[in-house]
Amino acid sequence: MPIEGKRIAKNTGLLYFRMLLLMTVSLYTSRVLLSVLGVVDYGLYNVVGGIVVMIGFLQGTMGTASSRFITVAMSGDDKEYMRKVFTNLLLINALLALIVVVLAETIGLWFLIEKMTIPEDRMNASLWVYQFSILTMALNIVSVPYYASIVAHERMAAFAYISLFDAFAKLLIVYLIAISPFDRLIFYAFLILVVQTVDITIYNVYCIRKFSETRVSFEYDKSLVKEIFTFISWASYGSFVSAGFTQGLNIILNLFFGPTVNAARGVSVQVQNAVVNFTTNFQMAINPQLMKSTAQANYKDAQQLLIVSSKFSFFLLCALGLPIIIEAPFVLSLWLKEVPEYSVSFCRIVLVISVWSSLANPLRIVNQAEGNIKKFQQCECTLLLLIMPLSYMALKQWSIPILVYVVHLVIELAAQFVRIVLVIPKIKMPFRSYMLQVYLRLVPVFIMPLLLSSLLHYYMGEHEILRFITVTVSCEIILFLVVMIYGLNKKELYFIREKTKKLIRR
């Protein structure tokens, strides 16, 4: 199967249009929200919604399972089987949404009321936010197969166009809560629910009109459901751990330090999401091809796609993340009217984690496509699960908020080594080959621009705007040179030169 480079490039372009639009809106609305809601309410929204996300870890599981089964079904080009897969995935998602609601309204509600550090006068507002978050999560879980179908069919234009509505709706929300006579935190959570509901409806209608297999007839297939649940049983472990150490860290920080530190974490997560979306969009465009190549045992293409996805994701994150890591105080002060305490240190280490974590997703995609995920999930997730207890013990001992991120970084690096050892044999790729083609080329790409630009930042002193421009430009130039010298092999350099020549001629 030839690698469909033109389709990947087109889809990447559409997803980047979507990402740039949403990122611009997200950064602007976050700035206004922090100002309008205040530090305490902004922190409460992040931590209360985080409880629901942690309980709703099954959404991540079903996203993984739906993408895997729908993409693999498409590679066989059997319309009837595709319809059967979609129908049974939809039934399972509806059941899991019901389970999430029950858990959230029992265990989650008890934890919110009895254990969370919430000011007494904001408890009623927090309960309303919690209920709206539960409804939003349930709707999202049911709609997962529709999202997966759009990605599997590589119709990324749908995401780009629907994002126009989403962006304008969120700008309207910011305006409405600023002039609202109601409790602003409650009103904000309600409006987010409304926008999410409309988004979901549009996606679902689009799929029903465009993809025949999404017009369900609710045909239950016992053997298929068993196969899906076998996959889910191990994938859910990974989603539970992911939700646990992301939202769980938010809860731990709340237990030790209260909602003010949650606001700082919320800011760092916004910066992280804005930067990471650059690689997420590139990977979303390439994932269907990587999954199909692996599922069809086309190992040569799978190896090539794995290396390309890993390296270029890393390059993109470095291009965006390194200047922000160096100039975090200036960037945050320029973005926010009030910068919560700890935001700068949180942003810096979160971006370092994100850069190196970008190498994990391509390996996960190969693992999911191959289908036998039990051993991978056991090893990776058991390691990541250590983040929560080790962070708790570290805070008990020293009570320094940034320690949770230090623990996260160390565990993430260890988990990446385990992923490589377990996954690359599935596409017949030698360990030494992967390390030489990926890690050996990426370490200089990360260290050299960061080190040299940090020295420039230090010696330029307090001239903030001039320093920011100079550091950013120099960082990008150094990064480009290091990528050309160390990051790319001869074949990749030749490909880039030829594509550049064609673009210039056009």
Side-chain angles (χ1 to χ4, degrees), residues 133-209:
S133 299
I134 292 171
L135 286 172
T136 303
M137 176 64 70
L139 289 171
N140 278 325
I141 291 174
V142 173
S143 297
V144 162
Y146 292 99
Y147 298 138
S149 293
I150 294 174
V151 174
H153 283 276
E154 300 181 66
R155 300 289 185 87
M156 306 309 175
F159 287 117
Y161 296 142
I162 296 170
S163 294
L164 288 171
F165 162 78
D166 193 65
F168 287 118
K170 287 178 179 175
L171 287 172
L172 180 61
I173 285 175
V174 170
Y175 172 74
L176 290 175
I177 63 169
I179 63 171
S180 170
F182 311 112
D183 184 294
R184 289 175 174 176
L185 180 58
I186 297 173
F187 193 46
Y188 174 66
F190 170 73
L191 291 175
I192 288 294
L193 170 62
V194 172
V195 172
Q196 285 286 93
T197 303
V198 175
D199 280 351
I200 289 165
T201 302
I202 295 171
Y203 281 121
N204 293 4
V205 170
Y206 175 85
C207 286
I208 291 168
R209 293 185 62 182

Coordinates of all heavy atoms in Angstrom, one line a residue, residues 133-209:
S133 N -21.2 19.2 34.0 CA -20.1 18.5 33.5 C -20.4 17.0 33.3 O -19.9 16.4 32.3 CB -18.9 18.6 34.5 OG -18.5 19.9 34.6
I134 N -21.2 16.4 34.2 CA -21.7 15.0 34.0 C -22.4 14.9 32.7 O -22.2 13.9 31.9 CB -22.5 14.6 35.2 CG1 -21.7 14.5 36.5 CG2 -23.2 13.2 34.9 CD1 -22.5 14.3 37.7
L135 N -23.4 15.8 32.4 CA -24.2 15.7 31.2 C -23.3 15.8 30.0 O -23.5 15.1 29.0 CB -25.3 16.8 31.2 CG -26.5 16.6 32.1 CD1 -27.3 17.9 32.2 CD2 -27.3 15.4 31.7
T136 N -22.4 16.8 30.0 CA -21.5 17.0 28.9 C -20.6 15.7 28.6 O -20.5 15.3 27.5 CB -20.5 18.1 29.2 OG1 -21.3 19.3 29.4 CG2 -19.6 18.4 28.0
M137 N -20.1 15.1 29.7 CA -19.3 13.9 29.6 C -20.1 12.7 29.0 O -19.7 12.0 28.1 CB -18.8 13.5 30.9 CG -18.0 12.2 30.9 SD -16.5 12.2 29.9 CE -15.5 13.3 30.9
A138 N -21.4 12.6 29.4 CA -22.2 11.5 29.0 C -22.5 11.6 27.5 O -22.4 10.6 26.7 CB -23.5 11.4 29.8
L139 N -22.8 12.8 27.0 CA -23.1 13.1 25.6 C -21.9 12.8 24.8 O -22.0 12.2 23.7 CB -23.6 14.5 25.4 CG -25.0 14.8 26.0 CD1 -25.2 16.3 25.9 CD2 -26.0 14.1 25.2
N140 N -20.7 13.2 25.3 CA -19.5 13.0 24.5 C -19.2 11.5 24.4 O -18.7 11.1 23.3 CB -18.3 13.7 25.2 CG -18.2 15.2 24.9 OD1 -18.5 15.6 23.8 ND2 -17.9 16.0 25.8
I141 N -19.4 10.7 25.4 CA -19.1 9.3 25.3 C -20.0 8.6 24.3 O -19.5 7.8 23.5 CB -19.3 8.6 26.7 CG1 -18.2 9.1 27.7 CG2 -19.3 7.1 26.6 CD1 -18.4 8.6 29.1
V142 N -21.3 8.9 24.3 CA -22.2 8.3 23.3 C -21.8 8.7 21.9 O -21.9 7.9 20.9 CB -23.6 8.8 23.6 CG1 -24.6 8.3 22.5 CG2 -24.1 8.3 24.9
S143 N -21.2 9.8 21.7 CA -20.9 10.3 20.3 C -19.5 9.9 19.8 O -19.1 10.2 18.7 CB -21.0 11.8 20.3 OG -22.3 12.2 20.5
V144 N -18.7 9.2 20.7 CA -17.4 8.8 20.3 C -17.3 8.1 19.0 O -16.4 8.4 18.1 CB -16.7 8.0 21.4 CG1 -15.5 7.2 20.9 CG2 -16.3 8.9 22.6
P145 N -18.1 7.1 18.7 CA -18.0 6.4 17.4 C -18.2 7.3 16.2 O -17.6 7.1 15.1 CB -19.2 5.4 17.4 CG -19.4 5.1 18.9 CD -19.2 6.4 19.5
Y146 N -19.0 8.4 16.3 CA -19.1 9.3 15.2 C -17.8 10.1 14.9 O -17.4 10.3 13.8 CB -20.3 10.3 15.5 CG -21.6 9.7 15.5 CD1 -22.2 9.3 16.7 CD2 -22.3 9.4 14.3 CE1 -23.5 8.7 16.8 CE2 -23.6 8.8 14.4 CZ -24.2 8.5 15.6 OH -25.4 7.9 15.6
Y147 N -17.2 10.6 16.0 CA -15.9 11.2 15.9 C -14.9 10.3 15.2 O -14.1 10.6 14.3 CB -15.3 11.6 17.2 CG -16.1 12.6 18.0 CD1 -16.3 12.5 19.4 CD2 -16.7 13.7 17.3 CE1 -17.1 13.4 20.1 CE2 -17.5 14.6 18.0 CZ -17.7 14.5 19.4 OH -18.4 15.4 20.1
A148 N -14.9 9.0 15.7 CA -13.9 8.0 15.2 C -14.2 7.7 13.7 O -13.2 7.5 12.9 CB -14.0 6.7 16.0
S149 N -15.4 7.8 13.3 CA -15.7 7.5 11.8 C -15.2 8.7 11.0 O -14.7 8.4 9.9 CB -17.2 7.4 11.7 OG -17.8 6.3 12.3
I150 N -15.3 9.9 11.4 CA -14.8 11.0 10.6 C -13.2 10.9 10.5 O -12.7 11.1 9.4 CB -15.1 12.4 11.3 CG1 -16.6 12.6 11.3 CG2 -14.4 13.5 10.6 CD1 -17.1 13.8 12.1
V151 N -12.5 10.5 11.6 CA -11.1 10.4 11.5 C -10.7 9.2 10.6 O -9.8 9.3 9.8 CB -10.5 10.2 12.9 CG1 -9.0 9.9 12.9 CG2 -10.7 11.4 13.8
A152 N -11.4 8.1 10.8 CA -11.1 6.9 10.0 C -11.3 7.1 8.5 O -10.5 6.6 7.6 CB -12.0 5.7 10.4
H153 N -12.3 7.9 8.1 CA -12.6 8.3 6.7 C -11.7 9.4 6.3 O -11.7 9.8 5.1 CB -14.0 8.7 6.5 CG -15.0 7.5 6.5 ND1 -15.2 6.8 5.3 CD2 -15.7 6.9 7.4 CE1 -16.1 5.8 5.6 NE2 -16.4 5.9 6.9
E154 N -10.9 10.0 7.2 CA -10.0 11.1 6.9 C -10.7 12.3 6.3 O -10.1 13.0 5.4 CB -8.8 10.6 6.0 CG -8.0 9.4 6.6 CD -6.9 8.9 5.7 OE1 -6.0 9.7 5.5 OE2 -7.0 7.8 5.2
R155 N -11.8 12.6 6.9 CA -12.6 13.8 6.5 C -12.3 14.9 7.4 O -13.2 15.4 8.2 CB -14.1 13.4 6.4 CG -14.5 12.3 5.5 CD -14.4 12.8 4.0 NE -14.8 11.7 3.1 CZ -16.1 11.6 2.7 NH1 -17.0 12.4 3.2 NH2 -16.5 10.6 1.9
M156 N -11.1 15.4 7.4 CA -10.7 16.4 8.4 C -11.3 17.7 8.2 O -11.3 18.6 9.0 CB -9.2 16.5 8.5 CG -8.4 15.2 8.7 SD -9.1 14.2 10.1 CE -8.1 12.7 10.0
A157 N -11.8 17.9 7.0 CA -12.5 19.2 6.7 C -13.7 19.4 7.6 O -14.0 20.6 7.9 CB -12.9 19.2 5.2
A158 N -14.4 18.3 7.9 CA -15.5 18.4 8.8 C -15.1 19.1 10.2 O -15.8 19.9 10.7 CB -16.1 17.0 9.1
F159 N -14.0 18.6 10.7 CA -13.5 19.2 12.0 C -13.2 20.7 11.8 O -13.5 21.5 12.7 CB -12.3 18.5 12.5 CG -12.5 17.1 13.0 CD1 -11.9 16.0 12.4 CD2 -13.3 16.9 14.1 CE1 -12.2 14.7 12.9 CE2 -13.5 15.6 14.6 CZ -12.9 14.5 14.0
A160 N -12.6 21.0 10.7 CA -12.2 22.4 10.4 C -13.5 23.3 10.3 O -13.5 24.4 11.0 CB -11.4 22.5 9.2
Y161 N -14.5 22.9 9.6 CA -15.7 23.7 9.4 C -16.5 23.9 10.7 O -17.0 25.0 11.0 CB -16.5 23.2 8.3 CG -15.8 23.2 6.9 CD1 -16.0 22.2 6.0 CD2 -15.0 24.2 6.6 CE1 -15.3 22.2 4.8 CE2 -14.3 24.3 5.3 CZ -14.5 23.2 4.5 OH -13.9 23.2 3.2
I162 N -16.7 22.8 11.4 CA -17.5 22.8 12.6 C -16.8 23.6 13.7 O -17.5 24.3 14.5 CB -17.8 21.4 13.1 CG1 -18.7 20.6 12.0 CG2 -18.6 21.4 14.4 CD1 -18.9 19.2 12.3
S163 N -15.5 23.7 13.6 CA -14.7 24.5 14.6 C -15.0 26.0 14.4 O -14.9 26.7 15.4 CB -13.2 24.2 14.4 OG -12.9 22.9 14.7
L164 N -15.4 26.4 13.2 CA -15.8 27.8 13.1 C -17.0 28.2 14.0 O -16.9 29.2 14.7 CB -16.2 28.1 11.6 CG -15.1 28.1 10.6 CD1 -15.6 28.2 9.2 CD2 -14.1 29.3 10.8
F165 N -18.0 27.3 14.0 CA -19.1 27.5 14.9 C -18.6 27.5 16.4 O -19.0 28.3 17.2 CB -20.2 26.5 14.7 CG -21.2 26.4 15.9 CD1 -22.2 27.3 16.0 CD2 -21.0 25.4 16.8 CE1 -23.1 27.2 17.1 CE2 -21.9 25.3 17.9 CZ -22.9 26.2 18.0
D166 N -17.8 26.5 16.7 CA -17.4 26.3 18.1 C -16.6 27.6 18.6 O -16.8 28.0 19.7 CB -16.5 25.1 18.1 CG -16.2 24.6 19.6 OD1 -17.2 24.3 20.2 OD2 -15.1 24.7 20.0
A167 N -15.7 28.1 17.7 CA -14.9 29.2 18.1 C -15.8 30.5 18.3 O -15.7 31.2 19.4 CB -13.9 29.5 17.0
F168 N -16.7 30.8 17.4 CA -17.6 31.9 17.6 C -18.5 31.8 18.8 O -18.8 32.7 19.5 CB -18.4 32.2 16.3 CG -17.6 32.8 15.2 CD1 -17.4 32.1 14.0 CD2 -16.9 34.0 15.4 CE1 -16.7 32.6 13.0 CE2 -16.2 34.5 14.3 CZ -16.0 33.8 13.1
A169 N -19.0 30.5 19.1 CA -19.8 30.3 20.2 C -19.1 30.5 21.5 O -19.7 31.1 22.5 CB -20.3 28.8 20.2
K170 N -17.9 30.1 21.6 CA -17.1 30.3 22.8 C -16.8 31.8 23.1 O -16.7 32.3 24.2 CB -15.9 29.5 22.8 CG -16.2 28.0 23.1 CD -15.0 27.0 23.0 CE -15.5 25.6 23.3 NZ -14.5 24.6 23.1
L171 N -16.6 32.5 22.0 CA -16.4 34.0 22.1 C -17.7 34.6 22.6 O -17.6 35.5 23.5 CB -16.0 34.6 20.8 CG -14.6 34.3 20.3 CD1 -14.4 34.8 18.9 CD2 -13.5 35.0 21.2
L172 N -18.8 34.2 22.1 CA -20.1 34.7 22.6 C -20.3 34.4 24.1 O -20.8 35.2 24.9 CB -21.2 34.1 21.8 CG -22.6 34.5 22.2 CD1 -22.8 36.0 22.0 CD2 -23.7 33.8 21.3
I173 N -19.8 33.2 24.5 CA -20.0 32.8 25.9 C -19.2 33.8 26.8 O -19.7 34.2 27.9 CB -19.4 31.3 26.1 CG1 -20.4 30.3 25.6 CG2 -19.2 31.1 27.6 CD1 -19.9 28.9 25.7
V174 N -18.0 34.1 26.4 CA -17.2 35.0 27.2 C -17.9 36.4 27.4 O -18.0 37.0 28.5 CB -15.8 35.2 26.6 CG1 -15.1 36.4 27.2 CG2 -15.0 34.0 26.7
Y175 N -18.5 36.8 26.3 CA -19.3 38.1 26.3 C -20.5 38.0 27.3 O -20.7 38.9 28.1 CB -19.7 38.5 24.9 CG -20.6 39.7 24.9 CD1 -20.2 41.0 25.2 CD2 -22.0 39.5 24.7 CE1 -21.0 42.1 25.2 CE2 -22.9 40.6 24.7 CZ -22.4 41.9 24.9 OH -23.2 42.9 24.9
L176 N -21.2 36.9 27.1 CA -22.4 36.7 27.9 C -22.2 36.6 29.4 O -22.9 37.2 30.2 CB -23.2 35.4 27.4 CG -23.8 35.5 26.0 CD1 -24.4 34.2 25.7 CD2 -24.9 36.6 26.0
I177 N -21.1 35.9 29.8 CA -20.9 35.8 31.3 C -20.4 37.1 31.8 O -20.6 37.4 33.0 CB -19.9 34.6 31.6 CG1 -18.5 34.8 31.0 CG2 -20.5 33.3 31.2 CD1 -17.5 33.9 31.6
A178 N -19.7 37.9 31.0 CA -19.2 39.2 31.5 C -20.4 40.1 31.8 O -20.3 41.0 32.7 CB -18.3 39.8 30.4
I179 N -21.5 40.0 31.1 CA -22.7 40.9 31.3 C -23.8 40.2 32.1 O -24.9 40.8 32.3 CB -23.2 41.5 30.0 CG1 -23.8 40.3 29.1 CG2 -22.2 42.3 29.3 CD1 -24.5 40.8 27.9
S180 N -23.6 38.9 32.5 CA -24.6 38.1 33.1 C -25.0 38.6 34.5 O -24.1 38.9 35.3 CB -24.2 36.6 33.1 OG -25.1 35.9 33.9
P181 N -26.3 38.6 34.8 CA -26.8 38.9 36.1 C -26.8 37.7 37.0 O -27.0 37.8 38.2 CB -28.2 39.4 35.9 CG -28.7 38.7 34.7 CD -27.5 38.5 33.8
F182 N -26.5 36.5 36.4 CA -26.5 35.2 37.1 C -25.1 35.0 37.7 O -24.2 35.7 37.4 CB -26.9 34.1 36.2 CG -28.2 34.3 35.4 CD1 -28.1 34.5 34.0 CD2 -29.4 34.4 36.1 CE1 -29.2 34.7 33.3 CE2 -30.6 34.7 35.3 CZ -30.5 34.8 33.9
D183 N -25.1 33.9 38.5 CA -23.8 33.5 39.0 C -22.9 33.1 37.8 O -23.3 32.2 37.0 CB -24.0 32.2 39.9 CG -22.7 31.8 40.6 OD1 -21.8 31.3 39.8 OD2 -22.6 31.8 41.8
R184 N -21.8 33.7 37.7 CA -21.0 33.6 36.4 C -20.4 32.2 36.3 O -20.3 31.7 35.1 CB -19.9 34.6 36.4 CG -20.4 36.0 36.2 CD -19.3 37.1 36.3 NE -19.8 38.4 35.9 CZ -19.1 39.5 36.0 NH1 -17.8 39.5 36.4 NH2 -19.6 40.7 35.6
L185 N -20.0 31.5 37.3 CA -19.5 30.2 37.3 C -20.5 29.2 36.8 O -20.3 28.4 35.9 CB -18.9 29.8 38.6 CG -18.2 28.4 38.7 CD1 -17.1 28.3 37.7 CD2 -17.7 28.1 40.1
I186 N -21.7 29.3 37.4 CA -22.8 28.4 37.0 C -23.2 28.6 35.5 O -23.4 27.7 34.7 CB -24.0 28.6 37.9 CG1 -23.7 28.2 39.3 CG2 -25.2 27.7 37.4 CD1 -24.7 28.5 40.4
F187 N -23.3 29.9 35.2 CA -23.8 30.3 33.8 C -22.8 29.8 32.8 O -23.1 29.3 31.7 CB -24.0 31.8 33.7 CG -24.7 32.2 32.5 CD1 -25.9 31.6 32.1 CD2 -24.3 33.3 31.8 CE1 -26.6 32.0 30.9 CE2 -24.9 33.8 30.7 CZ -26.1 33.1 30.2
Y188 N -21.5 29.9 33.1 CA -20.4 29.5 32.2 C -20.5 28.0 31.9 O -20.4 27.5 30.8 CB -19.1 29.9 32.8 CG -17.9 29.3 31.9 CD1 -17.7 29.8 30.7 CD2 -17.1 28.3 32.5 CE1 -16.6 29.3 29.9 CE2 -16.0 27.9 31.7 CZ -15.8 28.3 30.4 OH -14.7 27.9 29.7
A189 N -20.7 27.2 33.0 CA -20.8 25.7 32.9 C -22.0 25.3 32.0 O -21.9 24.4 31.2 CB -20.8 25.1 34.2
F190 N -23.1 26.1 32.2 CA -24.3 25.8 31.5 C -24.1 26.0 30.0 O -24.5 25.2 29.1 CB -25.5 26.6 32.0 CG -26.7 26.5 31.1 CD1 -27.5 25.4 31.1 CD2 -27.1 27.6 30.4 CE1 -28.6 25.3 30.3 CE2 -28.2 27.5 29.6 CZ -29.0 26.4 29.5
L191 N -23.5 27.2 29.7 CA -23.3 27.5 28.3 C -22.3 26.6 27.6 O -22.5 26.3 26.4 CB -22.8 29.0 28.2 CG -23.8 30.1 28.6 CD1 -23.1 31.5 28.5 CD2 -25.0 30.1 27.6
I192 N -21.3 26.1 28.3 CA -20.4 25.1 27.7 C -21.2 23.9 27.4 O -20.9 23.3 26.3 CB -19.3 24.8 28.7 CG1 -18.3 26.0 28.8 CG2 -18.5 23.6 28.3 CD1 -17.5 26.3 27.5
L193 N -22.1 23.5 28.2 CA -22.9 22.3 27.9 C -23.7 22.5 26.7 O -23.8 21.6 25.8 CB -23.8 22.0 29.1 CG -25.0 21.0 28.9 CD1 -24.4 19.6 28.6 CD2 -25.9 20.9 30.1
V194 N -24.3 23.7 26.5 CA -25.2 24.0 25.3 C -24.3 23.9 24.1 O -24.7 23.2 23.1 CB -25.8 25.4 25.5 CG1 -26.5 25.7 24.2 CG2 -26.8 25.4 26.6
V195 N -23.1 24.5 24.1 CA -22.3 24.5 22.9 C -21.8 23.1 22.6 O -21.8 22.7 21.4 CB -21.0 25.4 23.1 CG1 -20.0 25.3 22.0 CG2 -21.5 26.9 23.2
Q196 N -21.4 22.3 23.6 CA -21.0 20.9 23.3 C -22.2 20.1 22.7 O -21.9 19.3 21.9 CB -20.6 20.3 24.7 CG -19.2 20.7 25.1 CD -18.1 20.1 24.3 OE1 -17.6 20.7 23.3 NE2 -17.7 18.9 24.7
T197 N -23.4 20.3 23.2 CA -24.5 19.6 22.7 C -24.8 19.9 21.2 O -25.0 19.0 20.4 CB -25.8 19.9 23.5 OG1 -25.6 19.6 24.9 CG2 -27.0 19.1 23.0
V198 N -24.6 21.2 20.9 CA -24.8 21.5 19.5 C -23.7 20.9 18.6 O -23.9 20.4 17.5 CB -24.9 23.1 19.3 CG1 -24.9 23.5 17.8 CG2 -26.1 23.6 20.1
D199 N -22.5 21.0 19.1 CA -21.3 20.4 18.4 C -21.6 18.9 18.1 O -21.4 18.5 17.0 CB -20.0 20.6 19.2 CG -19.4 21.9 19.1 OD1 -19.9 22.7 18.3 OD2 -18.5 22.2 19.9
I200 N -22.0 18.2 19.1 CA -22.2 16.8 19.0 C -23.3 16.5 18.0 O -23.1 15.6 17.2 CB -22.5 16.2 20.4 CG1 -21.3 16.2 21.3 CG2 -23.1 14.8 20.3 CD1 -21.6 16.0 22.7
T201 N -24.3 17.3 18.0 CA -25.5 17.1 17.1 C -25.0 17.3 15.6 O -25.3 16.5 14.7 CB -26.6 18.0 17.4 OG1 -27.0 17.9 18.8 CG2 -27.8 17.8 16.5
I202 N -24.2 18.3 15.4 CA -23.7 18.5 14.1 C -22.8 17.4 13.6 O -23.0 16.9 12.4 CB -22.9 19.9 14.0 CG1 -23.8 21.1 14.3 CG2 -22.2 20.1 12.7 CD1 -23.1 22.4 14.5
Y203 N -21.9 16.9 14.4 CA -21.0 15.8 14.0 C -21.8 14.6 13.7 O -21.6 13.9 12.7 CB -20.0 15.5 15.2 CG -18.9 16.4 15.2 CD1 -18.6 17.2 16.4 CD2 -18.0 16.5 14.2 CE1 -17.5 18.0 16.5 CE2 -16.9 17.4 14.2 CZ -16.7 18.1 15.4 OH -15.6 19.0 15.5
N204 N -22.8 14.3 14.5 CA -23.6 13.1 14.3 C -24.4 13.1 13.0 O -24.5 12.2 12.3 CB -24.6 12.8 15.5 CG -23.8 12.5 16.8 OD1 -22.6 12.5 16.8 ND2 -24.5 12.2 17.9
V205 N -25.0 14.3 12.8 CA -25.8 14.4 11.6 C -24.9 14.3 10.3 O -25.3 13.7 9.3 CB -26.6 15.8 11.6 CG1 -27.2 16.1 10.2 CG2 -27.6 15.8 12.7
Y206 N -23.7 14.9 10.4 CA -22.8 14.8 9.3 C -22.4 13.4 9.0 O -22.4 13.0 7.8 CB -21.5 15.6 9.7 CG -20.4 15.5 8.6 CD1 -20.4 16.3 7.5 CD2 -19.4 14.5 8.8 CE1 -19.4 16.2 6.6 CE2 -18.4 14.4 7.8 CZ -18.4 15.3 6.7 OH -17.4 15.1 5.8
C207 N -22.1 12.6 10.0 CA -21.8 11.2 9.8 C -22.9 10.4 9.2 O -22.7 9.6 8.2 CB -21.4 10.6 11.1 SG -19.8 11.1 11.7
I208 N -24.1 10.6 9.7 CA -25.3 9.9 9.2 C -25.5 10.2 7.7 O -25.9 9.3 6.9 CB -26.6 10.2 10.0 CG1 -26.4 9.6 11.4 CG2 -27.8 9.7 9.4 CD1 -27.4 10.1 12.4
R209 N -25.3 11.4 7.3 CA -25.5 11.8 5.9 C -24.4 11.4 5.0 O -24.6 11.1 3.8 CB -25.6 13.4 5.8 CG -26.9 13.9 6.5 CD -27.0 15.4 6.3 NE -27.2 15.7 4.8 CZ -27.3 16.9 4.3 NH1 -27.2 18.0 5.2 NH2 -27.4 17.1 3.1

